[in-house]
Amino acid sequence: MSTLAPLNNLITRFQEQTPIRASSLIITLYGDAIEPHGGTVWLGSLINLLEPIGINERLIRTSIFRLTKEGWLTAEKVGRRSYYSLTGTGRRRFEKAFKRVYSPSQPAWDGAWTLVLLSQLEAGKRKTLREELEWQGFGVMAPNVMGCPRADRADLAATLRELEASDDSIVFETHTQEVLASKAMRAQVRESWRIDELGQQYSEFIQLFRPLWQGLKEQPQLDAQDCFLARTLLIHEYRRLLLRDPQLPDELLPGDWEGRAARQLCRNLYRLVFAKAEEWLNSALETADGPLPDVNESFYKRFGGLA
């Protein structure tokens, strides 16, 4: 365990989850740390790396097997060793899921909305499409009507094609409004996206990670392993929150929206620990050719720039 009490609390909290989310943490590790270094590591070094978080070898092997079966990872044998990489599909999933995490800010909103009418779909397909659209940031505005203030039209069109719902769905786009967020609109947003519940989850994130931020700032010298553990748990928890966050424009959110403070805390903590965490990764992980390759250039663009 670490000498930092706030970090130990986070590790204990992760270990006490039932069931322990090892597969999800491994995806976080690949997306945050392994992919920027070329994407491939020896399974044995991965086991050693995650042991301090309380994930034993058996659980890691089981999780890796499951992720391989689900199409996230692919294996390559070199002698008696196995090296695992993200598949092409896994990489695309990662890029989509992690794009939100590291972006410096949301683009400005012009007040336009995309609406999708689902009333002509049969019940089973309607349920499936609703779940997919919620993942893309849509909310239920009225029975069989979903809306999004900043929809990606290419993603929407691809989803409708993949689910064979294009012919039975109706898509509308509204024009820019002079008043971007009326009182009625903000009330509708609270209902359609359960903003209060999400705000509470962001508050809990801040309560969890602010003590860690303060504790690390007070250290005369940062410990490389502590920084790796802090970075991994930080991005793991923040990624899980963003999966539930529709990323609504500021104009539609409460003035005291905790998501803003959570993002700033995540950015500041990441900037504090990333360099030392990289030292630990370079010493702990192996590829078939030996040490990890250097990180790619895009890594240093995270959160608007890492220095």
Side-chain angles (χ1 to χ4, degrees):
M1 297 289 275
S2 167
T3 57
L4 273 175
L7 181 55
N8 287 336
N9 292 339
L10 287 167
I11 293 171
T12 300
R13 178 176 177 272
F14 178 82
Q15 293 172 348
E16 289 176 348
Q17 294 177 107
T18 308
I20 192 166
R21 299 182 182 276
S23 295
S24 180
L25 186 73
I26 290 169
I27 288 298
T28 296
L29 181 62
Y30 263 87
D32 181 65
I34 297 174
E35 187 61 17
H37 285 277
T40 303
V41 292
W42 172 46
L43 176 59
S45 62
L46 192 64
I47 290 169
N48 294 334
L49 189 71
L50 292 177
E51 188 274 334
I53 300 181
I55 307 178
N56 61 41
E57 179 176 344
R58 181 187 59 80
L59 182 54
I60 291 176
R61 290 184 181 276
T62 301
S63 301
I64 290 287
F65 174 78
R66 184 180 300 117
L67 289 168
T68 303
K69 191 174 182 181
E70 292 173 355
W72 279 96
L73 298 175
T74 183
E76 179 186 0
K77 292 279 285 187
V78 179
R80 299 180 63 183
R81 290 186 167 190
S82 296
Y83 297 84
Y84 284 86
S85 314
L86 287 172
T87 62
T89 301
R91 186 170 289 107
R92 286 191 294 273
R93 290 179 189 168
F94 144 72
E95 288 173 351
K96 190 172 182 179
F98 280 75
K99 185 178 179 181
R100 292 182 179 184
V101 175
Y102 306 116
S103 62
S105 61
Q106 290 294 314
W109 181 49
D110 63 2
W113 285 77
T114 300
L115 303 175
V116 183
L117 186 61
L118 309 179
S119 56
Q120 300 306 310
L121 289 161
E122 58 91 9
K125 189 174 287 187
R126 185 187 307 140
K127 179 177 181 294
T128 302
L129 179 57
R130 183 184 295 121
E131 291 172 352
E132 288 296 320
L133 292 182
E134 285 176 349
W135 164 255
Q136 293 182 24
F138 282 79
V140 178
M141 308 296 287
N144 296 323
V145 178
M146 300 194 73
C148 183
R150 198 152 43 197
D152 185 317
R153 286 301 306 273
D155 279 354
L156 173 59
T159 298
L160 294 176
R161 285 195 305 271
E162 288 170 7
L163 296 179
E164 299 180 350
S166 299
D167 291 341
D168 298 314
S169 303
I170 303 170
V171 179
F172 297 99
E173 285 195 333
T174 73
H175 294 295
T176 302
Q177 305 297 307
E178 287 186 14
V179 180
L180 298 184
S182 64
K183 179 181 177 181
M185 179 62 77
R186 287 194 296 270
Q188 181 66 52
V189 164
R190 289 186 104 103
E191 292 177 13
S192 297
W193 280 275
R194 298 193 295 186
I195 289 298
D196 293 337
E197 180 181 326
L198 183 60
Q200 179 58 39
Q201 291 168 350
Y202 273 124
S203 294
E204 292 169 2
F205 173 86
I206 292 168
Q207 292 166 14
L208 281 171
F209 285 93
R210 186 171 282 158
L212 177 59
W213 158 249
Q214 293 168 340
L216 285 166
K217 283 200 304 179
E218 293 169 0
Q219 294 292 302
Q221 184 173 352
L222 293 175
D223 178 81
Q225 186 179 38
D226 281 355
C227 287
F228 161 72
L229 296 172
R231 172 176 147 183
T232 301
L233 291 171
L234 172 74
I235 294 301
H236 184 62
E237 291 296 331
Y238 192 60
R239 178 176 73 91
R240 291 175 61 208
L241 267 179
L242 287 187
L243 289 175
R244 307 180 198 123
D245 189 337
Q247 301 285 283
L248 296 171
D250 270 352
E251 293 88 346
L252 299 174
L253 294 168
D256 59 350
W257 178 236
E258 291 282 34
R260 299 186 191 99
R263 181 158 198 81
Q264 185 175 21
L265 174 61
C266 183
R267 181 196 65 194
N268 292 344
L269 185 46
Y270 196 90
R271 286 176 172 174
L272 178 65
V273 301
F274 87 91
K276 279 290 185 180
E278 285 296 303
E279 289 181 15
W280 188 253
L281 288 164
N282 286 325
S283 68
L285 290 179
E286 295 180 37
T287 71
D289 298 320
L292 287 181
D294 291 338
V295 290
N296 54 41
E297 290 183 10
S298 63
F299 174 81
Y300 292 101
K301 296 178 182 178
R302 292 177 173 183
F303 295 106
L306 302 174

Coordinates of all heavy atoms in Angstrom, one line a residue, residues 134-209:
E134 N -29.1 7.3 -26.3 CA -28.7 7.8 -24.9 C -27.2 7.8 -24.8 O -26.6 8.7 -24.2 CB -29.4 7.0 -23.8 CG -30.9 7.3 -23.7 CD -31.6 6.4 -22.7 OE1 -30.9 5.4 -22.2 OE2 -32.7 6.7 -22.3
W135 N -26.5 6.8 -25.3 CA -25.1 6.7 -25.3 C -24.5 7.9 -26.0 O -23.4 8.4 -25.7 CB -24.7 5.4 -25.9 CG -23.2 5.3 -26.3 CD1 -22.7 5.4 -27.5 CD2 -22.1 5.1 -25.4 NE1 -21.3 5.2 -27.5 CE2 -20.9 5.1 -26.2 CE3 -21.9 5.0 -24.0 CZ2 -19.6 5.0 -25.7 CZ3 -20.7 4.9 -23.5 CH2 -19.5 4.8 -24.3
Q136 N -25.1 8.4 -27.1 CA -24.6 9.5 -27.9 C -25.0 10.8 -27.3 O -24.7 11.9 -27.9 CB -25.1 9.3 -29.3 CG -24.6 8.1 -30.1 CD -25.1 8.1 -31.5 OE1 -25.4 9.0 -32.1 NE2 -25.0 6.9 -32.1
G137 N -25.7 10.9 -26.2 CA -26.1 12.1 -25.6 C -27.5 12.6 -25.7 O -27.9 13.7 -25.3
F138 N -28.3 11.8 -26.4 CA -29.7 12.1 -26.5 C -30.5 11.9 -25.2 O -30.2 11.0 -24.4 CB -30.4 11.3 -27.6 CG -30.1 11.7 -29.0 CD1 -28.9 11.4 -29.6 CD2 -31.0 12.5 -29.7 CE1 -28.6 11.9 -30.9 CE2 -30.7 12.9 -31.0 CZ -29.5 12.6 -31.6
G139 N -31.6 12.7 -25.0 CA -32.4 12.5 -23.9 C -33.9 12.3 -24.4 O -34.2 12.8 -25.5
V140 N -34.7 11.8 -23.5 CA -36.1 11.6 -23.9 C -36.9 12.9 -23.6 O -37.0 13.3 -22.5 CB -36.8 10.4 -23.1 CG1 -38.3 10.3 -23.4 CG2 -36.1 9.1 -23.4
M141 N -37.3 13.6 -24.7 CA -37.9 14.9 -24.5 C -39.4 14.8 -24.4 O -40.1 15.6 -23.7 CB -37.6 15.8 -25.8 CG -36.2 15.9 -26.1 SD -35.2 16.7 -24.9 CE -35.7 18.4 -25.1
A142 N -40.0 13.7 -24.9 CA -41.4 13.4 -24.9 C -41.6 12.0 -25.3 O -40.6 11.4 -25.8 CB -42.2 14.3 -25.8
P143 N -42.8 11.3 -25.1 CA -42.9 9.9 -25.5 C -42.5 9.7 -26.9 O -43.0 10.4 -27.8 CB -44.4 9.7 -25.3 CG -44.8 10.6 -24.2 CD -44.0 11.8 -24.4
N144 N -41.6 8.9 -27.2 CA -41.1 8.5 -28.5 C -40.4 9.6 -29.2 O -40.2 9.6 -30.5 CB -42.2 8.0 -29.4 CG -42.8 6.7 -28.9 OD1 -42.1 5.8 -28.4 ND2 -44.1 6.6 -29.0
V145 N -39.9 10.7 -28.5 CA -39.2 11.7 -29.1 C -37.9 11.9 -28.3 O -37.9 12.1 -27.1 CB -39.9 13.1 -29.1 CG1 -39.0 14.2 -29.7 CG2 -41.2 13.0 -29.9
M146 N -36.7 11.8 -29.0 CA -35.4 12.0 -28.3 C -34.8 13.2 -28.9 O -34.9 13.5 -30.1 CB -34.6 10.8 -28.4 CG -35.2 9.5 -27.8 SD -34.0 8.2 -27.6 CE -33.0 8.7 -26.3
G147 N -34.0 14.0 -28.1 CA -33.4 15.2 -28.6 C -32.0 15.3 -28.1 O -31.6 14.8 -27.0
C148 N -31.2 16.0 -28.8 CA -29.8 16.3 -28.4 C -29.4 17.7 -29.0 O -29.6 18.0 -30.1 CB -28.8 15.2 -29.0 SG -27.1 15.4 -28.5
P149 N -28.8 18.5 -28.1 CA -28.4 19.9 -28.5 C -27.1 19.9 -29.3 O -26.8 21.0 -29.9 CB -28.3 20.6 -27.2 CG -27.9 19.6 -26.2 CD -28.6 18.3 -26.7
R150 N -26.4 18.8 -29.3 CA -25.1 18.9 -30.0 C -24.8 17.5 -30.6 O -23.8 16.9 -30.3 CB -24.0 19.3 -29.1 CG -22.7 19.8 -29.7 CD -22.0 20.8 -28.9 NE -21.9 20.5 -27.5 CZ -21.5 21.3 -26.5 NH1 -21.3 22.6 -26.9 NH2 -21.5 21.0 -25.3
A151 N -25.7 17.0 -31.4 CA -25.6 15.7 -32.0 C -24.5 15.6 -33.1 O -24.3 16.5 -33.8 CB -26.9 15.2 -32.5
D152 N -23.9 14.5 -33.2 CA -23.0 14.2 -34.3 C -23.8 13.5 -35.3 O -24.2 12.3 -35.2 CB -21.8 13.3 -33.8 CG -20.8 13.0 -34.8 OD1 -21.2 12.8 -36.0 OD2 -19.6 13.0 -34.5
R153 N -24.1 14.2 -36.4 CA -25.0 13.6 -37.4 C -24.4 12.4 -38.1 O -25.2 11.5 -38.4 CB -25.3 14.7 -38.5 CG -26.2 15.8 -38.1 CD -27.6 15.2 -37.6 NE -28.2 14.4 -38.6 CZ -29.0 14.9 -39.6 NH1 -29.2 16.2 -39.7 NH2 -29.6 14.0 -40.5
A154 N -23.1 12.3 -38.2 CA -22.5 11.1 -38.8 C -22.7 9.9 -37.9 O -23.1 8.8 -38.4 CB -21.0 11.3 -39.1
D155 N -22.5 10.1 -36.6 CA -22.7 9.0 -35.7 C -24.2 8.6 -35.7 O -24.5 7.4 -35.6 CB -22.3 9.4 -34.3 CG -20.8 9.3 -34.0 OD1 -20.1 8.8 -34.9 OD2 -20.4 9.7 -33.0
L156 N -25.1 9.6 -35.7 CA -26.5 9.3 -35.7 C -26.9 8.5 -36.9 O -27.6 7.5 -36.9 CB -27.3 10.6 -35.6 CG -28.9 10.4 -35.8 CD1 -29.4 9.5 -34.7 CD2 -29.5 11.8 -35.8
A157 N -26.5 8.9 -38.1 CA -26.8 8.2 -39.4 C -26.3 6.8 -39.4 O -26.9 5.9 -39.8 CB -26.3 9.0 -40.6
A158 N -25.0 6.6 -38.8 CA -24.4 5.3 -38.8 C -25.2 4.4 -37.9 O -25.4 3.2 -38.2 CB -23.0 5.4 -38.3
T159 N -25.6 4.9 -36.7 CA -26.4 4.1 -35.8 C -27.8 3.7 -36.4 O -28.2 2.5 -36.2 CB -26.7 4.9 -34.5 OG1 -25.4 5.2 -33.9 CG2 -27.5 4.1 -33.5
L160 N -28.4 4.6 -37.1 CA -29.7 4.2 -37.7 C -29.5 3.2 -38.8 O -30.3 2.2 -38.9 CB -30.3 5.5 -38.3 CG -30.8 6.6 -37.3 CD1 -31.3 7.8 -38.1 CD2 -31.9 6.0 -36.4
R161 N -28.4 3.3 -39.5 CA -28.1 2.2 -40.5 C -27.8 0.9 -39.9 O -28.4 -0.1 -40.3 CB -27.0 2.7 -41.4 CG -27.3 3.7 -42.4 CD -26.2 3.8 -43.5 NE -24.9 4.0 -42.9 CZ -24.3 5.2 -42.6 NH1 -25.0 6.3 -42.9 NH2 -23.1 5.3 -42.1
E162 N -27.0 0.9 -38.9 CA -26.6 -0.4 -38.2 C -27.7 -1.1 -37.6 O -27.8 -2.3 -37.6 CB -25.5 -0.1 -37.2 CG -24.1 0.3 -37.8 CD -23.2 0.9 -36.7 OE1 -23.6 0.8 -35.5 OE2 -22.1 1.4 -37.0
L163 N -28.7 -0.3 -37.1 CA -29.9 -0.9 -36.5 C -31.0 -1.1 -37.4 O -32.1 -1.5 -37.0 CB -30.3 -0.1 -35.2 CG -29.3 0.0 -34.1 CD1 -29.8 0.9 -33.0 CD2 -28.9 -1.4 -33.6
E164 N -30.8 -0.8 -38.7 CA -31.8 -0.9 -39.7 C -33.1 -0.2 -39.3 O -34.2 -0.6 -39.5 CB -32.1 -2.4 -40.0 CG -30.9 -3.2 -40.5 CD -31.3 -4.7 -40.8 OE1 -32.4 -5.1 -40.4 OE2 -30.4 -5.3 -41.4
A165 N -32.8 1.1 -38.8 CA -33.9 1.9 -38.4 C -34.1 3.2 -39.2 O -34.9 4.0 -38.9 CB -33.7 2.3 -36.9
S166 N -33.3 3.3 -40.2 CA -33.3 4.6 -41.0 C -34.7 4.9 -41.6 O -35.2 6.0 -41.6 CB -32.3 4.5 -42.1 OG -31.0 4.4 -41.6
D167 N -35.3 3.8 -42.2 CA -36.6 4.0 -42.9 C -37.8 4.3 -41.9 O -38.8 4.8 -42.3 CB -36.9 2.8 -43.8 CG -36.0 2.7 -45.0 OD1 -35.4 3.7 -45.3 OD2 -35.9 1.6 -45.5
D168 N -37.6 3.9 -40.7 CA -38.7 4.0 -39.7 C -38.5 5.0 -38.6 O -39.3 5.1 -37.7 CB -39.0 2.6 -39.0 CG -39.3 1.5 -40.0 OD1 -40.2 1.8 -40.9 OD2 -38.8 0.4 -40.0
S169 N -37.4 5.8 -38.8 CA -37.2 6.9 -37.9 C -37.3 8.2 -38.6 O -37.0 8.3 -39.8 CB -35.8 6.8 -37.3 OG -35.6 5.6 -36.6
I170 N -37.7 9.3 -37.9 CA -37.8 10.6 -38.5 C -36.9 11.5 -37.7 O -37.0 11.6 -36.5 CB -39.3 11.1 -38.4 CG1 -40.2 10.1 -39.1 CG2 -39.4 12.5 -39.0 CD1 -41.7 10.4 -38.8
V171 N -36.0 12.2 -38.5 CA -35.0 13.1 -37.9 C -35.3 14.5 -38.3 O -35.5 14.9 -39.4 CB -33.6 12.7 -38.4 CG1 -32.6 13.7 -37.7 CG2 -33.3 11.3 -38.0
F172 N -35.4 15.4 -37.3 CA -35.6 16.8 -37.5 C -34.4 17.6 -36.9 O -33.7 17.2 -36.0 CB -36.8 17.3 -36.7 CG -38.1 16.7 -37.1 CD1 -38.7 15.7 -36.4 CD2 -38.8 17.2 -38.2 CE1 -39.9 15.1 -36.7 CE2 -40.0 16.6 -38.6 CZ -40.6 15.6 -37.8
E173 N -34.1 18.7 -37.5 CA -33.1 19.6 -37.0 C -33.8 21.0 -36.8 O -34.4 21.5 -37.8 CB -31.9 19.8 -37.9 CG -31.0 18.6 -37.8 CD -29.6 18.8 -38.5 OE1 -29.6 19.7 -39.4 OE2 -28.7 18.2 -38.1
T174 N -33.6 21.6 -35.7 CA -34.2 22.9 -35.4 C -33.2 24.0 -35.8 O -32.0 23.8 -36.0 CB -34.6 23.1 -33.9 OG1 -33.3 23.3 -33.2 CG2 -35.3 21.9 -33.4
H175 N -33.7 25.2 -36.0 CA -32.9 26.4 -36.3 C -32.4 27.0 -35.0 O -33.0 26.8 -33.9 CB -33.7 27.4 -37.1 CG -34.1 27.0 -38.5 ND1 -33.2 26.7 -39.4 CD2 -35.3 26.7 -39.0 CE1 -33.8 26.3 -40.5 NE2 -35.1 26.3 -40.3
T176 N -31.4 27.8 -35.1 CA -30.8 28.5 -33.9 C -31.9 29.4 -33.3 O -32.6 30.1 -34.0 CB -29.6 29.3 -34.3 OG1 -28.7 28.4 -34.9 CG2 -29.0 30.0 -33.1
Q177 N -32.0 29.3 -32.0 CA -33.0 30.2 -31.3 C -32.3 31.4 -30.7 O -31.1 31.3 -30.3 CB -33.6 29.4 -30.1 CG -34.2 28.1 -30.6 CD -35.4 28.3 -31.6 OE1 -36.3 29.0 -31.3 NE2 -35.3 27.7 -32.7
E178 N -33.0 32.5 -30.6 CA -32.4 33.7 -30.0 C -32.1 33.5 -28.5 O -31.1 33.9 -28.0 CB -33.4 34.9 -30.2 CG -33.4 35.4 -31.6 CD -34.3 36.7 -31.7 OE1 -34.6 37.3 -30.6 OE2 -34.6 37.0 -32.8
V179 N -33.1 32.8 -27.8 CA -32.9 32.5 -26.4 C -32.5 31.0 -26.3 O -33.3 30.1 -26.6 CB -34.2 32.7 -25.6 CG1 -33.9 32.4 -24.1 CG2 -34.7 34.2 -25.7
L180 N -31.2 30.8 -26.0 CA -30.7 29.4 -26.1 C -31.3 28.5 -25.0 O -31.5 27.4 -25.2 CB -29.2 29.4 -26.0 CG -28.4 30.2 -27.1 CD1 -26.9 30.0 -26.9 CD2 -28.8 29.7 -28.5
A181 N -31.6 29.1 -23.8 CA -32.0 28.3 -22.7 C -33.0 29.0 -21.9 O -32.7 29.7 -20.9 CB -30.8 27.9 -21.9
S182 N -34.3 28.9 -22.2 CA -35.3 29.5 -21.5 C -35.5 28.7 -20.2 O -35.0 27.7 -19.9 CB -36.6 29.5 -22.3 OG -37.0 28.1 -22.5
K183 N -36.3 29.3 -19.3 CA -36.6 28.6 -18.0 C -37.3 27.3 -18.2 O -36.9 26.2 -17.6 CB -37.6 29.5 -17.1 CG -38.0 28.9 -15.8 CD -38.9 29.8 -15.0 CE -39.4 29.1 -13.7 NZ -40.3 30.0 -13.0
A184 N -38.2 27.2 -19.2 CA -38.9 25.9 -19.5 C -37.9 24.9 -20.1 O -37.9 23.7 -19.8 CB -40.0 26.2 -20.5
M185 N -36.9 25.4 -20.9 CA -35.9 24.5 -21.5 C -35.0 23.9 -20.4 O -34.7 22.7 -20.4 CB -35.1 25.2 -22.6 CG -34.0 24.4 -23.2 SD -34.7 22.9 -24.1 CE -35.3 23.8 -25.6
R186 N -34.6 24.7 -19.5 CA -33.7 24.2 -18.4 C -34.4 23.2 -17.6 O -33.8 22.2 -17.1 CB -33.1 25.4 -17.6 CG -32.1 26.2 -18.3 CD -31.3 27.1 -17.4 NE -32.2 28.1 -16.7 CZ -32.4 29.3 -17.3 NH1 -31.9 29.6 -18.4 NH2 -33.2 30.1 -16.7
A187 N -35.7 23.4 -17.3 CA -36.5 22.5 -16.5 C -36.7 21.2 -17.3 O -36.6 20.1 -16.7 CB -37.9 23.1 -16.2
Q188 N -36.8 21.3 -18.6 CA -37.0 20.1 -19.4 C -35.7 19.3 -19.4 O -35.7 18.0 -19.3 CB -37.3 20.4 -20.9 CG -37.5 19.3 -21.8 CD -38.7 18.4 -21.5 OE1 -39.8 18.9 -21.3 NE2 -38.5 17.1 -21.3
V189 N -34.6 20.0 -19.5 CA -33.3 19.3 -19.5 C -33.0 18.6 -18.2 O -32.5 17.4 -18.1 CB -32.1 20.4 -19.7 CG1 -30.8 19.8 -19.3 CG2 -32.1 20.8 -21.2
R190 N -33.4 19.2 -17.0 CA -33.3 18.5 -15.7 C -34.1 17.2 -15.7 O -33.6 16.2 -15.2 CB -33.8 19.4 -14.6 CG -32.9 20.6 -14.3 CD -33.5 21.3 -13.1 NE -32.6 21.1 -11.9 CZ -31.7 21.9 -11.5 NH1 -31.5 23.1 -12.0 NH2 -31.0 21.6 -10.4
E191 N -35.2 17.2 -16.4 CA -36.1 16.0 -16.4 C -35.5 14.9 -17.4 O -35.4 13.7 -17.0 CB -37.5 16.3 -16.8 CG -38.3 17.2 -15.8 CD -39.6 17.5 -16.3 OE1 -40.1 16.9 -17.3 OE2 -40.3 18.4 -15.7
S192 N -35.1 15.4 -18.6 CA -34.8 14.4 -19.6 C -33.4 13.8 -19.4 O -33.2 12.7 -19.9 CB -34.8 15.2 -21.0 OG -36.0 15.7 -21.3
W193 N -32.5 14.4 -18.7 CA -31.2 13.9 -18.5 C -30.8 13.6 -17.0 O -29.7 13.3 -16.7 CB -30.1 14.8 -19.1 CG -30.0 14.7 -20.6 CD1 -29.2 13.8 -21.3 CD2 -30.7 15.5 -21.6 NE1 -29.4 14.0 -22.6 CE2 -30.2 15.0 -22.9 CE3 -31.6 16.5 -21.5 CZ2 -30.7 15.5 -24.0 CZ3 -32.0 17.1 -22.7 CH2 -31.6 16.6 -24.0
R194 N -31.8 13.8 -16.1 CA -31.6 13.5 -14.7 C -30.3 14.2 -14.2 O -29.4 13.6 -13.6 CB -31.5 12.0 -14.4 CG -32.8 11.3 -14.8 CD -32.8 9.9 -14.2 NE -31.8 9.0 -14.8 CZ -31.7 7.7 -14.6 NH1 -32.6 7.2 -13.8 NH2 -30.8 7.0 -15.2
I195 N -30.3 15.5 -14.5 CA -29.1 16.3 -14.2 C -28.7 16.4 -12.7 O -27.6 16.3 -12.4 CB -29.3 17.8 -14.7 CG1 -29.3 17.8 -16.3 CG2 -28.3 18.7 -14.2 CD1 -28.0 17.3 -16.9
D196 N -29.7 16.4 -11.9 CA -29.5 16.5 -10.4 C -28.7 15.2 -9.9 O -27.8 15.3 -9.1 CB -30.7 16.7 -9.6 CG -31.4 18.0 -9.9 OD1 -30.7 18.9 -10.3 OD2 -32.6 18.2 -9.7
E197 N -29.1 14.1 -10.5 CA -28.5 12.8 -10.1 C -27.0 12.8 -10.5 O -26.1 12.4 -9.8 CB -29.2 11.6 -10.7 CG -28.7 10.3 -10.4 CD -29.5 9.2 -11.0 OE1 -30.7 9.3 -11.1 OE2 -28.8 8.2 -11.4
L198 N -26.8 13.2 -11.8 CA -25.4 13.3 -12.3 C -24.6 14.3 -11.6 O -23.4 14.0 -11.3 CB -25.5 13.6 -13.8 CG -24.1 13.7 -14.5 CD1 -23.4 12.3 -14.5 CD2 -24.3 14.1 -16.0
G199 N -25.2 15.4 -11.2 CA -24.4 16.4 -10.4 C -24.0 15.9 -9.1 O -22.9 16.2 -8.6
Q200 N -24.8 15.1 -8.4 CA -24.4 14.4 -7.2 C -23.3 13.5 -7.4 O -22.4 13.4 -6.5 CB -25.6 13.7 -6.6 CG -25.4 13.0 -5.3 CD -24.9 13.9 -4.2 OE1 -25.4 15.0 -4.1 NE2 -23.9 13.5 -3.4
Q201 N -23.2 12.8 -8.5 CA -22.1 11.8 -8.7 C -20.8 12.6 -9.0 O -19.8 12.2 -8.5 CB -22.5 11.0 -9.9 CG -23.6 10.0 -9.7 CD -24.1 9.3 -10.9 OE1 -23.8 9.7 -12.1 NE2 -25.0 8.3 -10.8
Y202 N -20.9 13.8 -9.6 CA -19.7 14.6 -9.8 C -19.3 15.1 -8.4 O -18.1 15.2 -8.2 CB -20.0 15.8 -10.7 CG -19.8 15.5 -12.2 CD1 -20.8 15.6 -13.1 CD2 -18.6 15.0 -12.6 CE1 -20.6 15.3 -14.4 CE2 -18.4 14.7 -14.0 CZ -19.4 14.9 -14.9 OH -19.2 14.6 -16.2
S203 N -20.2 15.5 -7.5 CA -19.8 15.9 -6.2 C -19.1 14.8 -5.4 O -18.1 15.1 -4.7 CB -21.1 16.3 -5.4 OG -21.7 17.5 -6.0
E204 N -19.5 13.6 -5.6 CA -18.8 12.5 -4.9 C -17.4 12.3 -5.5 O -16.5 12.0 -4.7 CB -19.7 11.2 -5.1 CG -21.0 11.3 -4.3 CD -21.9 10.1 -4.7 OE1 -21.5 9.3 -5.5 OE2 -23.1 10.1 -4.2
F205 N -17.3 12.5 -6.8 CA -16.0 12.4 -7.4 C -15.0 13.4 -6.8 O -13.9 13.1 -6.5 CB -16.1 12.6 -8.9 CG -14.8 12.7 -9.7 CD1 -14.2 11.5 -10.1 CD2 -14.2 13.9 -10.0 CE1 -13.0 11.6 -10.8 CE2 -13.0 14.0 -10.6 CZ -12.4 12.8 -11.1
I206 N -15.5 14.6 -6.7 CA -14.7 15.7 -6.1 C -14.3 15.4 -4.7 O -13.1 15.6 -4.3 CB -15.4 17.0 -6.2 CG1 -15.6 17.5 -7.6 CG2 -14.7 18.1 -5.4 CD1 -16.6 18.6 -7.8
Q207 N -15.2 14.8 -3.9 CA -14.9 14.5 -2.5 C -13.9 13.4 -2.4 O -13.1 13.3 -1.5 CB -16.2 14.1 -1.8 CG -17.2 15.2 -1.6 CD -18.6 14.8 -1.2 OE1 -18.8 13.6 -0.8 NE2 -19.6 15.7 -1.3
L208 N -13.9 12.5 -3.4 CA -12.9 11.4 -3.4 C -11.5 11.8 -3.8 O -10.5 11.4 -3.2 CB -13.4 10.3 -4.4 CG -14.5 9.3 -4.0 CD1 -15.0 8.5 -5.2 CD2 -14.0 8.4 -2.9
F209 N -11.4 12.7 -4.8 CA -10.1 13.0 -5.4 C -9.5 14.3 -4.9 O -8.3 14.5 -5.1 CB -10.2 12.9 -6.9 CG -10.3 11.5 -7.4 CD1 -11.5 10.9 -7.7 CD2 -9.1 10.8 -7.6 CE1 -11.6 9.6 -8.1 CE2 -9.2 9.5 -8.1 CZ -10.4 8.9 -8.3

